[in-house]
């Protein structure tokens, strides 16, 4: 195994351990999960902290999520597009919330320039998914994209939602129909 492959395998093994054990994980647990001798870790990482940082950065990497957004078919009705979008956003947000909680993080790590660029790309992809439905909307696709993100974020965060997170269907229903009964009902 090349050093790069070993490094990737160690990072892959560390991410779920961080979720399970937080900062208290041991290099022995990492080595066992990766199927290597404990000392091997230090051939590719200078310290456990360097490995943990690499694992957190991988877990927060937005590129796989952006790939998922690119795979959404916007040629469906708006409700189906939003349901797909919200479902994928919830998976992303929940994985980040779970990791942050396990690590004892009270806020996101300082954003690096590439993280800001990734978020901006995500916003643009979201707007592009909504754009074909512009004629159906009372707000701009940009405004709906913002509302989708805000409601999905807050409705997916266990502390903000008092432990009663919203289902994707609930989020989409509120976005598209509000909370008032239909007058014809």
């Amino acid at each position: 195994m090349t050093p790069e492959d070993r490094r990737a395998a160690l990072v892959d093994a560390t991410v779920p351990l961080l979720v399970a054990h937080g900062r208290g994980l041991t290099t022995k647990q990492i080595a066992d999960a990766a199927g290597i001798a404990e000392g091997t870790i230090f051939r590719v990482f200078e310290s456990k902290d360097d490995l943990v940082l690499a694992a957190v950065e991988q877990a927060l990497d937005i590129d796989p999520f952006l790939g998922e957004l690119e795979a959404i078919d916007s040629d469906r009705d708006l409700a189906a597009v939003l349901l797909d979008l919200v479902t994928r956003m919830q998976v992303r947000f929940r994985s980040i919330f779970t990791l942050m909680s396990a690590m004892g993080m009270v806020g996101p790590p300082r954003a690096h320039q590439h993280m800001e660029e990734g978020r901006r790309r995500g916003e643009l992809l979201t707007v592009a998914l909504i754009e074909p439905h512009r004629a159906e909307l009372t707000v701009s696709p940009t405004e709906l994209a913002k509302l989708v993100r805000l409601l999905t974020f807050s409705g997916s965060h266990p502390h903000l939602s008092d432990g009663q997170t919203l289902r994707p269907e609930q989020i989409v229903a509120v976005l598209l129909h509000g909370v008032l009964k239909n007058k014809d009902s």
Side-chain angles (χ1 to χ4, degrees):
M1 193 180 268
T2 68
E4 294 81 24
D5 291 339
R6 190 168 313 280
R7 182 179 179 84
L10 284 165
V11 168
D12 288 343
T14 302
V15 172
L17 292 171
L18 285 171
V19 170
H21 304 286
R23 294 182 187 274
L25 86 156
T26 66
T27 53
K28 175 150 180 32
Q29 289 170 317
I30 297 167
D32 289 347
I36 61 167
E38 194 172 353
T40 305
I41 293 170
F42 302 104
R43 291 187 192 144
V44 289
F45 288 96
E46 288 190 28
S47 68
K48 176 182 139 185
D49 287 342
D50 288 341
L51 172 53
V52 166
L53 178 60
V56 169
E57 286 179 352
Q58 177 175 297
L60 298 178
D61 182 10
I62 198 167
D63 286 338
F65 173 68
L66 296 177
E68 289 184 27
L69 293 186
E70 290 170 343
I72 296 174
D73 178 10
S74 65
D75 290 336
R76 299 173 293 154
D77 67 82
L78 182 57
V81 171
L82 291 179
L83 184 61
D84 200 356
L85 177 63
V86 168
T87 299
R88 292 170 194 244
M89 282 182 159
Q90 274 197 324
V91 168
R92 167 92 176 148
F93 288 146
R94 286 179 177 162
S95 70
I96 291 170
F97 299 152
T98 300
L99 176 64
M100 289 175 59
S101 178
M103 297 280 300
M105 299 167 71
V106 293
R110 277 187 282 153
H112 299 290
Q113 184 65 27
H114 73 279
M115 293 172 85
E116 291 300 323
E117 290 168 11
R119 274 197 276 276
R120 180 68 184 136
R121 285 179 28 226
E123 290 171 16
L124 293 173
L125 285 168
T126 302
V127 170
L129 287 168
I130 297 168
E131 184 63 40
H133 304 280
R134 176 184 281 275
E136 303 169 53
L137 303 174
T138 61
V139 297
S140 71
T142 301
E143 183 66 20
L144 180 54
K146 179 180 177 183
L147 293 169
V148 167
R149 185 169 190 268
L150 289 172
L151 188 54
T152 304
F153 180 89
S154 60
S156 303
H157 196 290
H159 299 294
L160 296 177
S161 64
D162 294 326
Q164 297 179 354
T165 58
L166 299 175
R167 295 184 328 278
E169 297 82 4
Q170 290 173 299
I171 293 169
V172 171
V174 168
L175 288 166
L176 293 180
H177 309 295
V179 295
L180 296 177
K181 289 183 179 181
N182 185 339
K183 290 180 183 180
D184 298 330
S185 298

